[in-house]
Amino acid sequence: MRALYVLTIVLLTVFVFAPAHGEQWFKGGLHLHSLWSDGDAAPEVVTAWYKERGWHFICYTDHNILLEGDTYKPIMDDADLTPARVEAIREQFGDDWVQEEEHLGRQRMRLKTYEELKAHFEEPGRFLVMHGEEITTLSGNPHVNAINVLERTGGLPKDGMTERIELYMKAVTAQAEKHQRLMFSMLNHPNFANGVTIEEALPVKALRFFEVFNGHPSVNNWGHEEKGYPSTDRFWDVLLTLRLQEEPSYMLYGLATDDAHNYFNMGKGANPGRGWVMVLAGQLAPEALLTSIMKGDFYASTGVLLDNIRRDESGMSFTIMAEPGVTYTTQFFGTRRGFDTTSTAVLDADGNPKERASRIYSDEIGALLSETTGHEPSYTFEGDELYVRAKITSDKPHPNPFKKGDVEMAWVQPATAP
Ligand SMILES: [Zn+2]
Ligand SMILES: [Zn+2]
């Protein structure tokens, strides 16, 4: 009897309390700004925002700068760092934390560095901070996020979109090799400003990640009809199809991010909390997280949560962590071999090709293969698909949408057919 009791306890411990395969989901923000560039909050305020709301990790990605060295911000009534905000930091972190001084007749505050933030906020298994940079072209796109880096790259003036993306991404690859450390780069908000066209992104061999969702209000995630920008979902399908046709291992993963700049007035500007990644990893550490991300063992979310994701050569399946009263529509997109490869230019009113528009491709690319409202969606390859990926759209309004009318969604990374 006692043996049975012990066995029961052991089995319960193994099957109930141990996470499957020793892995768990970690929630992360991979695109956010602070006073180190054009964000409106001090980096400790930014970090506390995410940590207090349950994020497991963040990566600082200020424009063309790493959070290192002595940098000061003036304290002024009409600037982002007002006396009241400094006072709030003092209240939250203590008198000793704030390094305020007078300089040339004005008060200023020293910004906390990555190392200082790491020492203050990190907790093993609970919260991690990574160092990154948004490599930023000085006038519009491209912007490339560099994650878990050690060296600053810095952007250059706009000239040659393909060349710039390639240059920025190669700089990240080069430092990863030099330091023997996992790092990755991603193409941010392809529909921001002057846009990045499908044809410009296509030749960039180092491109493996892009933002299918960015929480900044001016990034046109769902396309820009007048300018001829496709939705980021369409951008993904066309780019992925053309790449896979060239090379079967030429994967492209989609991320959701905040691109947070504005931390004080929710509902105004680029707020935190709109989009994130959920990474399945055995450990909350940069190596483990990046290893999973590079394999596509993560999904992008703006509110819909998933579990039990299986992506393999037979197809994919997953569980939607459904909330009561919410309807979820899962769409499986993919392209079948032998698809129509022709494309046409987007024309302006005079019949001339629009300068910054992506070309229009056949509906056979990124076709809707299947659709369901069930909570255990699955797709089995029929044999002629190049890939399948899933997008889950709920009917629950996003609590703080980047654009009016947006709902909570999630994206599962593509699985390729054998
Ligand atoms: Zn940007
Ligand atoms: Zn940004």
Side-chain angles (χ1 to χ4, degrees), residues 31 63 134 143 188-189 259:
H31 188 167
H63 296 285
E134 182 171 16
H143 292 188
N188 297 345
H189 46 59
D259 199 356

Side-chain angles (χ1 to χ4, degrees), residues 14-184:
V14 170
F15 294 111
V16 179
F17 302 110
H21 316 296
E23 292 184 317
Q24 71 175 90
W25 292 107
F26 293 110
K27 181 177 185 174
L30 292 173
H31 188 167
L32 43 104
H33 300 272
S34 74
L35 285 176
W36 278 90
S37 62
D38 59 349
D40 67 4
E44 57 270 47
V45 173
V46 171
T47 313
W49 195 98
Y50 285 101
K51 187 177 176 180
E52 286 166 6
R53 285 161 183 81
W55 268 249
H56 294 100
F57 67 94
I58 59 168
C59 183
Y60 304 106
T61 54
D62 273 301
H63 296 285
N64 294 337
I65 196 169
L66 292 182
L67 284 57
E68 56 191 19
D70 287 326
T71 295
Y72 295 83
K73 276 278 164 182
I75 304 167
M76 295 191 292
D77 280 321
D78 56 352
D80 286 327
L81 191 62
T82 61
R85 287 181 184 175
V86 174
E87 203 39 51
I89 295 171
R90 198 170 265 122
E91 262 173 45
Q92 192 174 354
F93 297 93
D95 281 339
D96 294 345
W97 173 266
V98 177
Q99 293 167 283
E100 188 184 335
E101 61 175 40
E102 196 190 306
H103 180 72
L104 302 174
R106 281 202 311 203
Q107 285 302 109
R108 65 180 192 176
M109 188 185 85
R110 185 178 161 278
L111 296 183
K112 296 296 177 187
T113 63
Y114 168 72
E115 290 300 335
E116 288 165 323
L117 296 159
K118 185 178 166 69
H120 183 81
F121 286 99
E122 278 199 346
E123 278 178 58
R126 166 63 193 94
F127 192 71
L128 171 86
V129 294
M130 288 194 277
H131 209 176
E133 174 189 356
E134 182 171 16
I135 308 169
T136 308
T137 297
L138 306 177
S139 48
N141 263 335
H143 292 188
V144 166
N145 263 12
I147 307 296
N148 198 35
V149 292
L150 294 170
E151 295 173 22
R152 173 187 178 272
T153 297
L156 296 158
K158 181 186 63 170
D159 182 25
M161 195 65 76
T162 303
E163 294 74 11
R164 288 286 168 244
I165 304 170
E166 195 135 52
L167 190 71
Y168 299 163
M169 292 194 162
K170 277 184 175 170
V172 177
T173 312
Q175 51 163 311
E177 279 170 20
K178 178 179 158 190
H179 296 285
Q180 289 295 299
R181 175 185 166 100
L182 292 181
M183 302 177 185
F184 75 94

Side-chain angles (χ1 to χ4, degrees), residues 169-362:
M169 292 194 162
K170 277 184 175 170
V172 177
T173 312
Q175 51 163 311
E177 279 170 20
K178 178 179 158 190
H179 296 285
Q180 289 295 299
R181 175 185 166 100
L182 292 181
M183 302 177 185
F184 75 94
S185 60
M186 63 206 231
L187 178 65
N188 297 345
H189 46 59
N191 289 344
F192 169 65
N194 48 326
V196 176
T197 68
I198 290 168
E199 296 73 31
E200 285 166 338
L202 186 58
V204 184
K205 301 287 179 204
L207 176 61
R208 283 289 185 276
F209 301 92
F210 91 109
E211 286 179 336
V212 67
F213 177 91
N214 174 303
H216 197 291
S218 54
V219 296
N220 306 301
N221 292 317
W222 314 141
H224 195 302
E225 209 172 322
E226 205 178 305
K227 288 182 170 179
Y229 298 170
S231 70
T232 48
D233 274 288
R234 184 73 186 148
F235 184 90
W236 195 355
D237 284 313
V238 177
L239 204 49
L240 182 59
T241 298
L242 299 179
R243 290 162 60 111
L244 287 175
Q245 191 191 23
E246 212 175 291
E247 163 65 53
S249 65
Y250 210 180
M251 190 42 80
L252 182 66
Y253 296 127
L255 301 108
T257 70
D258 282 338
D259 199 356
H261 287 74
N262 309 106
Y263 297 85
F264 296 99
N265 299 310
M266 291 301 144
K268 221 174 152 205
N271 300 147
R274 287 181 175 149
W276 59 87
V277 289
M278 295 293 286
V279 183
L280 188 67
Q283 212 190 339
L284 184 61
E287 304 73 37
L289 293 171
L290 267 66
T291 299
S292 290
I293 290 173
M294 285 162 164
K295 285 191 296 183
D297 287 343
F298 72 100
Y299 66 94
S301 177
T302 64
V304 173
L305 297 179
L306 309 174
D307 201 4
N308 306 318
I309 299 180
R310 176 186 60 82
R311 295 162 44 247
D312 57 30
E313 54 187 26
S314 67
M316 66 165 60
S317 62
F318 50 90
T319 304
I320 297 171
M321 310 293 276
E323 289 178 39
V326 179
T327 302
Y328 301 85
T329 304
T330 296
Q331 294 170 300
F332 290 102
F333 294 108
T335 304
R336 297 183 188 281
R337 289 174 220 278
F339 66 91
D340 179 358
T341 56
T342 58
S343 64
T344 54
V346 177
L347 305 177
D348 63 18
D350 300 327
N352 300 313
K354 274 196 179 173
E355 204 191 330
R356 302 283 330 138
S358 291
R359 293 178 68 80
I360 299 170
Y361 293 82
S362 143

